[in-house]
Amino acid sequence: MTDTLDGRHIVVTGGTGALGGAVVGKLLEQGAICHVPNAHAAAPAHFPFPAHERVRLAHNVDLADPAKVDAFYASVTDLWASIHLAGGFTAAPVEKIEPASFAEMMDTNARTTFLCCRAAIRSMLESSVSGRIVNVTARAGLDLRRGSGMVAYAASKAAVAAMTVAMAEELKGKGILVNAVAPSTLDTPATRADMPAADFSKWVSLEAAAEAIAYLASPANLAMSGTLVPLYGRA
């Protein structure tokens, strides 16, 4: 195997989203084979690579369901890296957060990350691959005061940060490198629509985020593990 991503098998959860499309595109440029689980029966219309020869789409995969996650990872041979972009966001004053909403954030962000990490790690250990895992936390998951007004989201992303560092420490003897990026606001069509008066130039471009994620997932990353990489742009 070369020291590039050429021919390497990489899972990208959330790969059909805005950041996912940028990450999959970056990985494809570098020769990777991308396995993209999708919660629905078909890829969304905006996904740019539905027929690409090195994209393997898997439909109806609920990433909060351990049996479906395990079955999906079992279908991926020679797994090199697993990138976990799937997640969600909600904001509300703490007194208005319903328990179901809190649980949904923990499921969407923390549980899916845990289940995918676990399945990926099992695969890597079984095949003795010194692979790469990349999670996505958030600025509010590191700088906890920024969780004001979004307590459930911040708690779920802080859990992702804690898991990332703990897993990195646990797996350092196996050569599996585990890191996370922590974006502030990503410049996507959805965030522009939600905040039309904002200064978009302060946000992090999808290209910049994808570049960082692809590096962490690559063999070029020889030693970085347990790192929570701030992607704050000019914010």
Side-chain angles (χ1 to χ4, degrees):
M1 192 66 87
T2 67
D3 61 356
T4 70
L5 289 176
D6 194 40
R8 293 181 189 261
H9 292 262
I10 302 179
V11 166
V12 184
T13 77
T16 59
L19 176 57
V23 169
V24 169
K26 180 67 64 179
L27 297 173
L28 291 173
E29 282 175 19
Q30 298 179 24
I33 300 157
C34 295
H35 299 260
V36 181
N38 174 34
H40 308 291
H46 59 74
F47 181 60
F49 309 108
H52 195 286
E53 63 180 2
R54 284 184 281 110
V55 171
R56 315 274 193 269
L57 279 162
H59 301 302
N60 300 309
V61 181
D62 177 1
L63 296 176
D65 181 332
K68 291 193 173 181
V69 170
D70 289 347
F72 167 70
Y73 276 86
S75 74
V76 179
T77 55
D78 301 318
L79 179 68
W80 161 256
S82 198
I83 298 170
H84 308 133
L85 311 178
F89 175 79
T90 190
V94 66
E95 71 274 14
K96 295 185 178 178
I97 299 173
E98 296 295 333
S101 178
F102 184 87
E104 182 183 2
M105 275 294 95
M106 296 304 290
D107 279 351
T108 302
N109 291 325
R111 179 182 173 89
T112 61
T113 298
F114 164 71
L115 291 175
C116 292
C117 283
R118 185 181 70 160
I121 289 162
R122 285 174 171 172
S123 171
M124 292 172 187
L125 291 175
E126 189 174 319
S127 54
S128 299
V129 169
S130 297
R132 305 287 183 269
I133 290 172
V134 186
N135 296 323
V136 179
T137 177
R139 191 171 191 173
L142 305 188
D143 182 358
L144 301 179
R145 289 185 184 276
R146 288 182 176 267
S148 171
M150 52 182 89
V151 166
Y153 174 76
S156 67
K157 288 298 194 178
V160 171
M163 280 191 285
T164 299
V165 176
M167 288 178 190
E169 184 67 18
E170 183 174 329
L171 293 164
K172 65 184 182 183
K174 305 291 186 182
I176 298 171
L177 307 185
V178 188
N179 295 284
V181 295
S184 54
T185 304
L186 291 172
D187 187 359
T188 70
T191 48
R192 287 191 179 214
D194 288 344
M195 295 181 273
D199 181 353
F200 305 146
S201 70
K202 291 185 176 180
W203 294 354
V204 179
S205 73
L206 295 177
E207 169 72 16
E211 188 74 47
I213 289 166
Y215 172 74
L216 291 172
S218 77
N221 172 22
L222 294 172
M224 195 184 298
S225 195
T227 302
L228 307 173
V229 181
L231 298 180
Y232 296 167
R234 293 169 50 208

